[in-house]
Amino acid sequence: MRLGLALGYWGRGPSADHVPLAREAERLGYDSVWTAESWGSDAFTPLAWIAAHTTRIRLGTAVAQMAARSPTTTAMHALTLDHLSGGRMLLGLGLSGPQVVEGWYGRPFPRSPLTATREYVDVVRQVLRRAAPVAVDGRFHPLPYRGPDATGLGKPLKPITHPLRPDLPVLLGAEGPKNVAQTTRIADGWLPLYWAPSRPEVYGPAVHDLPAGFLVAPMAQVRVCADVAAGLLPVKAMLGFYIGGMGHAARNFHADLMARMGYADEARRIQELFLSGRREEAVRAVPDAFADEISLVGPRERIAERLESWRKGPVTDLLALAPDPHTLRVLAELNS
């Protein structure tokens, strides 16, 4: 099992420790470093900055939001960064949810998300292969565009720049069983959310029949500390925000996943509290047991014991949300 460093997205401003953490991860032998985006900092620019300050570590987006860019634009970002970094790019993509897609990007959330994802990946693959002008007779991402307001002058094009790697890895963030099953067919890897080594069945049967060489790269908060309950507080804060606020009460993919994992009542309670403005109570309502099973928190010996269950399953890459160099170092030592 390889290790990756997950840096997420910025909060109120740039994080001064991201480049030092990435360089330390590279020194410790971590395989990859990952950035994200929500509705603030983008995923690609910080990754380019990190690329300029490192030499070996692979560079991934976990995830770049599909609604933020047309698929050809995303492919341009990926092929450009792949060239600049000497072939270190890993392209992780995700749909996000209706609240972000429609509220931030001003686009309709696709009624058929599986089809929209499949078309998006098809376009990216065509750009990277550069075997022929890109053409897709698609419902969501038609190329050339021939909609009712089209000029009729569009024509299929190939990228001017020759991609460095036509097989640049594409990974998808997927939560529902149908989405996960499609991911195993059209992508090179999967970025699971809230991975619990003891219950892979919540993602459907596809988890037990993965293609050869397929990447499974979940994120997990990792924290070496003496007090487990205190160490779980940042995990619970993250869960409270995503389950309570990252979505609508009637449609929240994160809450749905928590419910499938056996915490349906707790997920509803977290949503109720968060959406009524009682955010601290929402965080406290996150069960310690749920936060614990999707993270690696506690003394070194406890993390070492729990790490074994992550190695035994299908996980190929553990992407650690690790806030400090000491935790990075301990995890590297335990995984060696």
Side-chain angles (χ1 to χ4, degrees), residues 203-265:
Y203 291 102
V207 176
H208 302 292
D209 188 24
L210 299 172
F214 190 78
L215 305 178
V216 179
M219 281 190 208
Q221 291 206 38
V222 184
R223 187 168 285 97
V224 178
C225 58
D227 188 335
V228 175
L232 287 174
L233 284 177
V235 185
K236 295 176 65 169
M238 175 273 293
L239 289 168
F241 174 65
Y242 274 78
I243 293 163
M246 191 71 83
H248 188 272
R251 191 169 189 184
N252 183 313
F253 302 132
H254 307 287
D256 293 344
L257 178 56
M258 183 179 177
R260 291 204 307 276
M261 295 177 76
Y263 298 95
D265 293 339

Side-chain angles (χ1 to χ4, degrees), residues 39 52 61 77 108 121 129 163-164 184 210 255 267 318:
W39 51 90
T61 55
H77 278 297
V121 171
R129 285 195 299 265
L164 181 64
T184 66
L210 299 172
L318 170 59

Side-chain angles (χ1 to χ4, degrees), residues 243-244 254-274 281-282 284-287 290:
I243 293 163
H254 307 287
D256 293 344
L257 178 56
M258 183 179 177
R260 291 204 307 276
M261 295 177 76
Y263 298 95
D265 293 339
E266 293 86 345
R268 281 193 297 271
R269 181 60 178 159
I270 293 166
Q271 282 188 299
E272 291 171 0
L273 291 169
F274 194 96
E281 290 182 62
R284 290 197 297 270
V286 176
F290 179 50

Side-chain angles (χ1 to χ4, degrees), residues 20 26 45 58 60 91 113 121 199 286 291 331:
E26 182 173 69
T45 309
R58 293 198 291 174
L91 180 60
V121 171
R199 51 173 100 221
V286 176
L331 187 62

Side-chain angles (χ1 to χ4, degrees), residues 33-54:
V33 58
W34 300 76
T35 55
E37 60 190 11
S38 52
W39 51 90
S41 61
D42 77 281
F44 290 100
T45 309
L47 212 55
W49 187 249
I50 292 168
H53 290 82
T54 55

